[in-house]
């Protein structure tokens, strides 16, 4: 019996695995500022300000404010305003409101994202084998409801169920998010599922800790990939390579890359 025939579900990470951010954060903040007649904020300061603001918000109100019952738009508005403040830009309430609406709308659309060309073919191939697909992502509800459909990744066409941190209230690397995926898959045994992601800490380790099969993608040739391999993780350059190995039926080839 081949490895593929033993699988009852495959779960897949989203950002870095199926899609990536397009351009720089500063591009979208610049466009928003220009829309109200203001000059572009400094890209570097804006990037650093956002990193600090996002980290603080994620710590105080994890899973996009799920436990605090904070509306998604309020979470992001607080984060974006703090980002500007940390970068040294303070706007009056009316001006900031206009800038924020532009930023929130941009990141709630397909504009800032690019889909890897092998993503849709791979997901459709998996489902054609009779294996359902679950998406497991540290993201808010707009990924499920707006962004993925806008990019052509649709439920019941490319995927069967989703576990999104902003909806479930738990995020990777907490293994609980993978337990939820197994439950949604029909309470299947961990060894009957394979998880594909791009982070050793957030994808591979927690999935393996439950007994799931797991592998990693190294789409951007990160220096960390060599350490992933040394630790025993199967690492692939893209989903096309993953499909080729799964089609071969030789589970030992999972360590080829």
């Amino acid at each position: 019996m081949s490895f593929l025939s033993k699988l009852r579900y495959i779960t897949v990470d989203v950002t870095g695995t199926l899609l990536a951010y397009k351009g720089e954060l500063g591009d979208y903040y610049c466009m928003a500022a220009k829309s109200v007649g203001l000059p572009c904020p400094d890209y570097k300061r804006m990037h650093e300000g956002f990193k600090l603001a996002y980290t603080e918000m994620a710590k105080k109100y994890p899973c996009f404010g799920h436990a605090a019952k904070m509306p998604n738009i309020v979470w992001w508005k607080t984060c974006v305003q703090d980002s500007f403040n940390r970068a040294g830009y303070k706007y009056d309430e009316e001006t900031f409101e206009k800038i924020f609406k532009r930023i929130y709308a941009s990141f709630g659309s397909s504009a800032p994202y690019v889909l890897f060309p092998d993503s849709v073919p791979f997901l459709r191939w998996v489902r054609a084998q009779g294996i359902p697909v679950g998406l497991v992502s540290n993201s808010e509800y707009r990924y499920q409801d707006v962004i993925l459909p806008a990019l052509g990744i649709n439920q019941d066409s490319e995927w069967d169920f989703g576990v999104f941190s902003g909806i479930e209230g738990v995020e990777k690397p907490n293994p609980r998010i993978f337990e939820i995926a197994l439950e949604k898959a029909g309470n299947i045994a961990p060894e009957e599922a394979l998880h594909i992601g791009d982070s050793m800490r957030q994808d591979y380790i927690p999935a393996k800790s439950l007994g799931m099969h797991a592998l990693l993608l190294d789409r951007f040739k990160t220096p960390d990939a060599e350490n992933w391999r040394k630790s025993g993780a199967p690492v692939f350059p893209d989903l096309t390579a993953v499909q080729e190995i799964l089609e071969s039926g030789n589970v030992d080839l999972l360590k080829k890359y």
Side-chain angles (χ1 to χ4, degrees):
M1 182 180 290
S2 70
F3 174 65
L4 187 64
S5 66
K6 295 177 182 178
L7 294 177
R8 291 183 59 195
Y9 264 90
I10 290 180
T11 58
V12 187
D13 168 57
V14 177
T15 307
T17 302
L18 298 178
L19 57 85
Y21 289 107
K22 183 168 57 179
E24 296 183 50
L25 178 83
D27 293 331
Y28 302 96
Y29 280 60
C30 177
M31 287 188 291
K34 280 188 170 182
S35 71
V36 296
L38 293 172
C40 283
D42 180 84
Y43 273 41
K44 184 176 180 180
R45 283 161 53 194
M46 204 69 250
H47 180 71
E48 291 302 315
F50 176 79
K51 281 203 306 184
L52 292 171
Y54 185 91
T55 300
E56 180 68 18
M57 283 297 291
K59 183 179 179 180
K60 289 175 65 176
Y61 304 103
C63 301
F64 305 96
H66 183 277
K69 295 184 173 14
M70 180 183 289
N72 186 72
I73 192 169
V74 173
W75 194 97
W76 278 114
K77 188 173 184 179
T78 305
C79 182
V80 171
Q81 187 160 41
D82 191 30
S83 299
F84 277 115
N85 289 342
R86 289 174 184 269
Y89 299 96
K90 297 185 183 297
Y91 304 117
D92 62 73
E93 187 174 341
E94 183 180 354
T95 300
F96 173 72
E97 186 68 30
K98 292 177 181 176
I99 291 174
F100 171 71
K101 283 182 177 179
R102 177 69 179 263
I103 292 171
Y104 189 73
S106 293
F107 282 94
S109 72
S110 61
Y113 312 96
V114 59
L115 194 64
F116 294 114
D118 57 0
S119 294
V120 168
F122 177 78
L123 296 175
R124 290 181 178 175
W125 173 80
V126 171
R127 298 183 80 246
Q129 310 312 303
I131 302 173
V133 172
L135 302 183
V136 181
S137 175
N138 283 356
S139 55
E140 35 115 335
Y141 80 93
R142 291 185 298 172
Y143 258 48
Q144 173 181 266
D145 296 349
V146 182
I147 296 167
L148 291 176
L151 290 168
I153 303 183
N154 298 289
Q155 191 168 9
D156 299 324
S157 175
E158 283 72 42
W159 54 283
D160 297 276
F161 70 88
V163 185
F164 300 91
S165 62
I167 297 173
E168 303 295 341
V170 61
E171 60 190 8
K172 299 182 288 184
N174 188 337
R176 175 59 188 151
I177 197 169
F178 292 98
E179 290 179 340
I180 293 172
L182 293 173
E183 291 165 4
K184 287 195 174 191
N187 291 310
I188 65 170
E191 60 269 21
E192 296 177 308
L194 166 68
H195 179 67
I196 302 171
D198 71 322
S199 169
M200 173 65 82
R201 187 179 74 88
Q202 294 194 347
D203 292 299
Y204 188 81
I205 291 175
K208 290 289 286 185
S209 73
L210 293 179
M212 297 174 67
H213 300 282
L215 59 84
L216 293 170
L217 296 190
D218 177 30
R219 290 193 181 273
F220 303 106
K221 301 189 185 310
T222 173
D224 292 336
E226 188 55 37
N227 289 329
W228 299 349
R229 293 185 180 93
K230 288 179 180 177
S231 71
V235 182
F236 294 81
D238 51 41
L239 289 171
T240 300
V242 173
Q243 181 176 329
E244 289 173 356
I245 295 301
L246 293 177
E247 284 182 317
S248 75
N250 190 346
V251 68
D252 292 331
L253 292 179
L254 284 176
K255 295 187 181 295
K256 176 180 177 182
Y257 292 91

